[in-house]
């Protein structure tokens, strides 16, 4: 079809490119005028490269009336259809109705809920559990026309406009726009009337109405802040000045925060400046934490540094650091083409930079500074060149290392040491309570006493963990990381496990009943070795080149490339809790996948301690997620989940059969099963009988008999059967068997 694309931004550019790939003829692109310094919109720039006519109208109508000269220029391209992928302008109905096949529009909400330009903001501010987008036929309401298709996604607890846009609304929205055009081209596009029931007409979020109302629960305040992050920014007044908050997380409950109080007018109780950020209170006594504060002059700081501004003395740069500063000055100049000279006082955004320029600057830093990975928000916190260089040098020196996450440990004095055990779910780099605060007791099998209460994962928690793992794989630092850097992280994790091996072995002993020395040598020791082994594989997972008949004369080349699968669901048993985790998780991580792991419900504690060590090792958020709870719920949901690409399971044969069926029915996901067996040990009459007795007993009693390859069946030759049984009974009834139990 002959298509006119009306819109802007990278989203519009990607829709344009995909339409061209599908064979449609884009006869005109209508976008906004160039920005300051003559910088064109990405959609217009892409179309100009292809020689497509580009029109840059500042407006299409005045006082509700279409501008005749604009409509005339539009009609000159003779489009059969209008596609509006992202359009901030009001398009008159003379244009909307002009083409033969009408106009289709992208809207970032599940219509009819949240109509209006701030639909994504309101999805978050209202605490919706589901978000998504709608492609619909444009009408005079612009978001009230008949629906062609809709797609939805889970809204994660700490989602912002940026995160949900990058994770789902952008990539799936591009596909959705092209799918809608294809349906129209095929004559099969539906027209589903929008119901009035459930429709909302939300106002545009502006700075003046983004002031925080403190007389509401903490979760509502959190939703309001994240719904306004980054634009326009939720704000409040502190000491007569306007503070804008960014990076909110709903902490719900936990230990009383340790820090300095900060009075906020209207809040139910003073906020607390902690090492993890600014802890705020709702009128229900629950808490949320914000990571960054922006002042009225535009300067942004980590909230944890609010009372420490005097500590930020200017660093004196070494010659090597000055060389880095000079390279960064040149990088700023390449980005800010309209600025004649980059001064120390040059402000990145006031000089005309936009969000895509932030991404480019972060990549420039990574290239010039040996892989140093800044976050986009770091640029927002140091907008002037001098501030940016100071931040960059501190990161290079390691002075600005990220604070440890807040963990509500259970502390125990066991085995002549103090052990500290996490007991909550581990999702997206944070220890969090299960939905509804559900918990269960994990029991010490040696005395039947409860060790602690552990969070019991619910279906919503599983969906959050899978979404976090998928986002980490598709959009996060993990998916972009060099294989060798990934290996370094896994080596670092193995080193931390070794540093904490006595604590891990003690936790393993009280939670699973393993003999401490066996736990130290085998459960923990072999786990460390496993992670070190697979760390070495990271940069050795390679493809092949394949000889083919057509190699000459055209010089054709056929090759294979091994790539990670995506989200891997792992379900492990209780006999070797940490080692089973290591065998499966280390291989997944080495290949570049992300993991959602369900430890056995009765032995979850070493998995949770392992999660803590991944944070200390520097693993990005969402790469590893741990969900204690029932296998019938978690294992089943992971097997059924469409975003899980592989399942690894160790357990019973009947359960394995059920998992294989679920994996096939859901999305034909890959599956690896290690199922039950009944291993035989055969003893003949010419064997050394004493040695056979020792080996037979060790083979069945090793690790309390909880062994996948335990010799559950003994076949003894008739002529020595009675004597063999006699010696076994004698060993069991008259001798201390502890030495037998330690035999490998």
């Amino acid at each position: 079809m002959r298509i006119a694309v009306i819109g802007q931004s990278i989203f519009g550019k990607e829709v344009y490119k995909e339409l061209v790939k599908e064979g449609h003829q884009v006869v005109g692109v209508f976008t906004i005028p160039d920005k300051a310094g003559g910088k064109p919109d990405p959609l217009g720039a892409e179309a100009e490269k292809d020689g497509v006519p580009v029109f840059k109208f500042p407006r299409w109508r005045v006082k509700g009336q279409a501008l005749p000269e604009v409509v005339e220029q539009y009609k000159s391209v003779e489009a059969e259809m209008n596609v509006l992928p992202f359009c901030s302008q009001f398009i008159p109905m003379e244009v909307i109705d002009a083409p033969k096949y009408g106009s289709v529009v992208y809207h970032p909400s599940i219509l009819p809920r949240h109509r209006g330009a701030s639909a994504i903001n309101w999805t978050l501010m209202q605490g919706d559990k589901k978000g998504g987008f709608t492609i619909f036929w444009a009408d005079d309401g612009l978001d009230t026309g008949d629906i062609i298709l809709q797609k939805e996604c889970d809204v994660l607890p700490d989602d912002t406009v940026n995160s949900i846009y990058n994770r789902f609304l952008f990539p799936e929205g591009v596909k959705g726009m092209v799918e809608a055009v294809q349906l129209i081209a095929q004559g099969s596009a539906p027209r589903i009337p929008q119901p009035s029931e459930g429709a909302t007409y939300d106002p545009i979020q502006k700075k003046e109405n983004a002031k925080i109302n403190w007389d509401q629960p903490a979760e509502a305040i959190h939703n309001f802040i994240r719904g306004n992050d980054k634009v326009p920014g939720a704000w409040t007044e502190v000491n007569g000045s306007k503070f804008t908050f960014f990076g909110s997380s709903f902490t719900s409950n936990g230990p009383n925060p340790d820090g300095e109080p900060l009075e906020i007018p209207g809040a139910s109780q003073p906020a607390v400046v902690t090492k993890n950020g600014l802890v705020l209170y709702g009128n229900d006594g629950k808490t949320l934490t914000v990571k960054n504060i922006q002042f009225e002059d535009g300067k942004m700081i980590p909230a944890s540094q609010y009372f420490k501004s005097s500590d930020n003395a200017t660093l004196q740069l070494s010659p090597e650091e000055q060389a880095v500063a000079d390279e960064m000055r040149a990088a700023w100049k390449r980005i800010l083409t309209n600025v004649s000279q980059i001064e120390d006082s040059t402000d990145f955004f006031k000089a005309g930079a936009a969000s895509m320029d932030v991404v480019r600057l972060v990549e420039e830093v990574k290239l010039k500074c040996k892989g140093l990975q800044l976050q986009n928000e770091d640029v927002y916190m140091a907008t002037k060149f001098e501030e940016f260089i100071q931040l960059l040098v501190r990161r290079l020196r390691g002075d600005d290392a990220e604070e440890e996450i807040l963990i509500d440990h259970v502390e125990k004095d066991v085995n002549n040491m103090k052990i500290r055990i996490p007991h909550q779910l581990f999702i997206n780099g944070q220890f969090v309570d299960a939905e509804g605060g559900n918990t269960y007791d994990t029991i010490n099998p040696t005395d039947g006493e409860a060790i602690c209460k552990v969070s019991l994962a619910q279906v919503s928690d599983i969906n959050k963990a899978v979404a976090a793992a998928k986002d980490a794989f598709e959009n996060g630092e993990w998916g972009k990381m060099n294989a060798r850097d990934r290996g370094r992280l896994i080596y670092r994790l193995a080193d931390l496990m070794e540093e904490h091996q006595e604590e891990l072995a003690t936790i393993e002993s009280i939670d699973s009943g393993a003999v401490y020395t066996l736990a130290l040598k085998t459960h923990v020791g072999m786990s460390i070795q496993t992670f070190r082994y697979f760390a070495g594989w990271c940069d050795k997972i390679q493809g092949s080149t394949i000889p083919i008949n057509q190699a000459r004369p055209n010089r054709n080349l056929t090759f294979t490339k091994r790539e990670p699968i995506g989200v891997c669901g792992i379900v492990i048993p209780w006999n070797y809790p940490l080692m089973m985790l290591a065998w499966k998780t280390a291989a997944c991580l080495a290949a570049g996948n992300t993991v959602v792991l369900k430890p056995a419900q009765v032995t979850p504690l070493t998995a949770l301690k392992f999660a803590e060590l991944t944070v200390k090792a520097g693993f990005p958020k969402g790469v590893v997620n741990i969900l204690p709870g029932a296998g019938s719920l978690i294992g089943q949901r992971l097997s059924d989940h469409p975003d899980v690409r592989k399942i690894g399971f160790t357990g019973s044969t009947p359960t394995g059969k059920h998992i294989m069926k679920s994996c096939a029915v859901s999305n034909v996901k890959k599956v690896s099963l290690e199922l039950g067996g009944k291993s035989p040990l055969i003893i003949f009459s010419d064997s050394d009988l004493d040695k056979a007795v020792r080996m037979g007993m060790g083979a069945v009693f090793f690790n309390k008999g909880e062994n996948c390859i335990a010799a559950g069946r003994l076949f003894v030759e008739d002529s020595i059967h009675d004597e063999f049984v006699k010696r076994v009974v004698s060993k069991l009834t008259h001798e201390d068997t502890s030495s037998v139990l330690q035999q490998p």
Side-chain angles (χ1 to χ4, degrees):
M1 285 194 297
R2 294 172 57 85
I3 292 175
V5 178
I6 305 175
Q8 63 197 79
S9 79
I10 295 178
F11 184 86
K13 167 187 168 182
E14 292 303 314
V15 171
Y16 161 81
K17 288 167 60 179
E18 291 301 315
L19 289 173
V20 172
K21 281 184 186 177
E22 291 295 328
H24 298 288
Q25 182 184 1
V26 177
V27 293
V29 164
F30 299 83
T31 187
I32 57 176
D34 294 348
K35 300 174 185 176
K39 191 172 184 178
D41 182 83
L43 169 59
E46 186 69 21
E48 285 173 343
K49 286 195 307 184
D50 295 340
V52 173
V54 176
F55 304 84
K56 302 177 182 181
F57 301 141
R59 64 184 64 84
W60 291 70
R61 61 184 189 179
V62 175
K63 296 181 180 180
Q65 299 299 312
L67 295 171
E69 64 276 15
V70 170
V71 174
E72 184 178 348
Q73 288 186 67
Y74 160 77
K75 289 184 176 180
S76 68
V77 302
E78 298 181 346
E80 296 177 300
M81 180 181 178
N82 293 330
V83 175
L84 285 71
F86 184 84
C87 184
S88 61
Q89 297 173 308
F90 291 101
I91 310 301
M93 292 308 297
E94 290 90 335
V95 171
I96 294 293
D97 291 338
K100 175 182 177 181
Y101 296 105
S103 302
V104 293
V105 186
Y106 170 91
H107 192 77
S109 77
I110 302 294
L111 291 173
R113 185 158 173 76
H114 303 310
R115 291 172 174 165
S118 296
I120 313 177
N121 305 73
W122 285 97
T123 294
L124 299 172
M125 287 190 289
Q126 293 295 316
D128 292 354
K129 302 301 182 186
K130 294 287 184 182
F133 64 85
T134 304
I135 312 295
F136 63 97
W137 300 94
D139 68 349
D140 56 0
L142 288 183
D143 51 7
T144 57
D146 292 344
I147 293 169
I148 300 175
L149 62 86
Q150 294 183 317
K151 294 187 180 181
E152 68 175 32
C153 65
D154 292 326
V155 178
L156 303 183
D158 294 338
D159 261 333
T160 63
V161 171
N162 279 354
S163 68
I164 196 171
Y165 180 72
N166 292 333
R167 184 181 77 248
F168 185 83
L169 297 179
F170 183 103
E172 294 302 320
V174 171
K175 296 176 187 175
M177 285 297 292
V178 176
E179 181 182 344
V181 171
Q182 294 294 80
L183 289 173
I184 294 168
Q186 296 163 8
S188 58
R191 289 183 177 269
I192 305 169
Q194 286 192 44
S196 57
E197 183 179 352
T200 61
Y201 297 87
D202 304 309
I204 295 176
Q205 273 304 96
K206 298 180 179 178
K207 198 70 176 181
E208 55 266 28
N209 57 21
K211 185 175 183 180
I212 299 169
N213 170 21
W214 294 104
D215 189 20
Q216 54 184 335
E219 186 171 9
I221 296 172
H222 161 66
N223 288 335
F224 188 78
I225 294 173
R226 70 188 180 118
N228 287 283
D229 188 338
K230 297 274 195 224
V231 178
W235 59 277
T236 191
E237 290 184 353
V238 179
N239 297 326
S241 298
K242 186 180 291 184
F243 281 20
T244 303
F245 295 142
F246 300 102
S248 175
S249 59
F250 180 47
T251 43
S252 179
N253 53 42
N256 290 327
D258 182 21
E260 297 182 63
L262 177 65
E263 292 286 346
I264 296 181
S268 58
Q269 61 188 92
V272 182
V273 178
T274 73
K275 66 178 183 179
N276 297 298
L278 181 64
V279 177
L280 306 169
Y281 288 86
N283 62 10
D284 56 355
K286 294 184 177 181
T287 60
L288 61 142
T289 303
V290 295
K291 190 173 181 182
N292 300 316
I293 299 173
Q294 187 177 46
F295 302 110
E296 285 188 89
D297 62 1
K299 181 177 176 60
M300 187 183 290
I301 65 167
S304 60
Q305 302 296 312
Y306 177 72
F307 288 117
K308 300 180 182 179
S309 56
S310 60
D311 296 341
N312 293 330
T314 301
L315 299 176
Q316 297 300 312
L317 306 189
S318 68
E320 294 79 8
E321 291 165 345
Q322 185 58 55
V324 170
D326 292 341
E327 288 189 339
M328 285 297 103
R329 195 182 298 272
W332 277 48
K333 183 67 181 70
R334 287 193 295 273
I335 296 171
L336 304 173
T337 55
N338 57 311
V339 177
S340 59
Q341 188 172 352
I342 305 298
E343 307 286 353
D344 286 348
S345 59
T346 300
D347 187 288
F348 193 66
F349 296 101
K350 291 180 181 177
S355 58
M356 275 308 298
D357 298 314
V358 174
V359 176
R360 180 178 170 186
L361 181 57
V362 168
E363 289 301 313
E364 289 271 9
V365 169
K366 187 176 180 181
L367 181 65
K368 302 294 184 183
C369 300
K370 299 179 181 179
L372 178 66
Q373 183 69 50
L374 294 185
Q375 301 301 317
N376 290 3
E377 63 192 32
D378 293 325
V379 181
Y380 289 99
M381 287 192 286
T383 60
K384 293 181 180 178
F385 182 75
E386 184 177 30
E387 296 170 346
F388 178 78
I389 293 301
Q390 290 285 308
L391 177 144
L392 186 60
V393 170
R394 284 191 169 89
R395 292 290 171 85
L396 289 170
R397 293 182 182 183
D399 295 341
D400 268 354
E402 192 171 319
E403 298 282 358
E404 291 187 5
I405 62 170
L406 187 65
I407 305 176
D408 182 21
H409 288 103
V410 172
E411 295 189 353
K412 298 275 184 182
D413 289 310
V414 186
N415 197 23
N416 298 316
M417 69 178 74
K418 184 183 289 292
I419 59 174
R420 305 178 76 233
I421 313 171
H423 62 95
Q424 298 165 290
L425 313 180
F426 185 69
I427 299 174
N428 202 29
Q430 299 288 330
F431 285 97
V432 295
D433 290 336
E435 182 76 23
N438 291 282
T439 63
Y440 70 97
D441 289 332
T442 186
I443 304 298
N444 184 337
T446 62
D447 58 16
E449 297 293 324
I451 302 170
C452 63
K453 289 192 176 297
V454 177
S455 294
L456 182 67
Q458 307 298 302
V459 171
S460 59
D461 300 312
I462 304 165
N463 293 339
K464 293 170 189 173
V466 172
K470 183 182 180 186
D471 187 48
F473 178 76
E474 294 182 350
N475 305 309
E477 181 185 349
W478 185 252
K480 305 169 188 173
M481 188 177 294
N482 179 284
R484 199 156 293 168
D485 293 336
R486 190 164 64 243
R488 276 198 287 266
L489 277 183
I490 299 175
Y491 274 123
R492 191 181 307 159
L493 174 61
D495 290 342
L496 284 167
M497 292 173 70
E498 189 168 49
E499 288 177 25
H500 291 263
Q501 61 183 330
E502 290 86 2
E503 185 179 18
L504 285 166
T506 302
I507 296 171
E508 192 91 321
S509 294
I510 65 172
D511 201 27
S512 74
V515 176
Y516 172 73
T517 52
L518 179 66
L520 187 62
K521 177 185 176 183
T522 302
H523 291 227
V524 178
M526 289 183 67
S527 298
I528 295 168
Q529 293 170 18
T530 298
F531 275 100
R532 287 204 172 115
Y533 172 81
F534 279 104
W537 266 109
C538 289
D539 58 357
K540 301 172 187 69
I541 302 173
Q542 301 157 352
S544 307
T545 55
I546 304 168
I548 56 173
N549 290 339
Q550 294 80 16
R552 293 176 182 273
N554 297 323
R555 307 288 181 180
N556 291 340
L557 175 69
T558 298
F559 68 94
T560 61
K561 181 181 179 184
R562 298 184 183 276
E563 295 185 323
I565 295 170
V567 181
C568 296
I570 297 174
V571 182
I572 58 174
W574 34 258
N575 55 343
Y576 295 92
L578 187 62
M579 197 159 68
M580 286 291 179
L581 176 153
W583 285 359
K584 290 177 168 56
T585 304
C588 288
L589 296 179
N593 300 295
T594 55
V595 169
V596 179
L597 180 136
K598 191 207 87 67
Q601 187 168 356
V602 293
T603 56
L605 297 184
T606 45
L608 294 172
K609 188 67 180 180
F610 168 82
E612 179 184 343
L613 298 181
T614 66
V615 175
K616 291 183 177 180
F619 276 67
K621 292 181 178 181
V623 174
V624 174
N625 304 271
I626 309 291
L627 299 175
S632 58
L633 177 71
I634 303 173
Q636 185 64 59
R637 179 56 183 150
L638 290 176
S639 300
D640 292 337
H641 203 295
D643 290 333
V644 175
R645 301 296 306 280
K646 178 168 184 175
I647 290 288
F649 171 75
T650 297
S652 72
T653 301
T655 303
K657 290 179 179 178
H658 187 75
I659 286 175
M660 182 175 280
K661 180 179 179 181
S662 297
C663 289
V665 170
S666 57
N667 59 347
V668 200
K669 57 173 62 72
K670 294 177 181 290
V671 59
S672 297
L673 303 175
E674 181 191 6
L675 307 179
K678 201 70 175 171
S679 307
L681 177 62
I682 304 173
I683 300 170
F684 293 100
S685 60
D686 60 348
S687 64
D688 180 333
L689 205 55
D690 285 336
K691 183 177 181 182
V693 169
R694 290 196 308 272
M695 295 298 291
M697 293 176 67
V700 74
F701 290 139
F702 180 72
N703 196 46
K704 315 180 299 297
E706 299 168 356
N707 210 25
C708 297
I709 56 171
R713 294 181 293 164
L714 290 178
F715 292 89
V716 183
E717 194 168 345
D718 284 346
S719 61
I720 60 169
H721 175 271
D722 293 345
E723 180 62 21
F724 182 87
V725 171
K726 179 181 176 181
R727 295 191 190 194
V728 169
V729 171
S730 176
K731 287 282 187 184
L732 290 175
T733 57
H734 298 105
E735 295 185 12
D736 179 4
T737 60
S738 62
S739 62
V740 176
L741 300 182
Q742 293 298 318
Q743 294 297 319

